[in-house]
Amino acid sequence: TLRFIEPLLDTIVDRFGVEDVVYSRDEGKYLKAVVSVAVSEQFYGWLLGFGRKAQLVYPATAVEDFKAYLNTVMGLYESC
């Protein structure tokens, strides 16, 4: 499940297809979409491209894996 600002809806549909995106309104200007995705570093990079405009929120295991990935990347810059 992804949570994102409404203007990203077309981008989400372009990525996952019109028939594979089930979305609903969330707090104010946000939407949530349930999508089928192969979780990978490439997916993480795509998601990070949206900065604070999009967020992975479910399943919890995917969120935890994403956080671990972010920590690994941050570790590359600790000694810089």
Side-chain angles (χ1 to χ4, degrees):
T1 301
L2 302 174
R3 181 177 186 260
F4 53 92
I5 62 170
E6 191 169 344
L8 290 180
L9 179 59
D10 288 341
T11 303
I12 301 297
V13 169
D14 284 346
R15 170 77 177 191
F16 298 104
V18 107
E19 292 165 14
D20 293 328
V21 176
V22 177
Y23 67 92
S24 60
R25 184 149 309 277
D26 195 35
E27 305 171 15
K29 63 182 180 179
Y30 291 93
L31 298 174
K32 279 189 177 177
V34 177
V35 298
S36 179
V37 62
V39 175
S40 65
E41 289 186 7
Q42 184 176 7
F43 169 70
Y44 294 154
W46 176 82
L47 185 59
L48 281 171
F50 299 117
R52 292 180 282 175
K53 297 175 184 174
Q55 176 185 17
L56 176 63
V57 295
Y58 187 82
T61 54
V63 173
E64 291 303 314
D65 289 347
F66 187 44
K67 288 164 51 176
Y69 172 76
L70 293 172
N71 285 327
T72 298
V73 172
M74 285 179 15
L76 295 174
Y77 297 93
E78 287 180 354
S79 62
C80 294

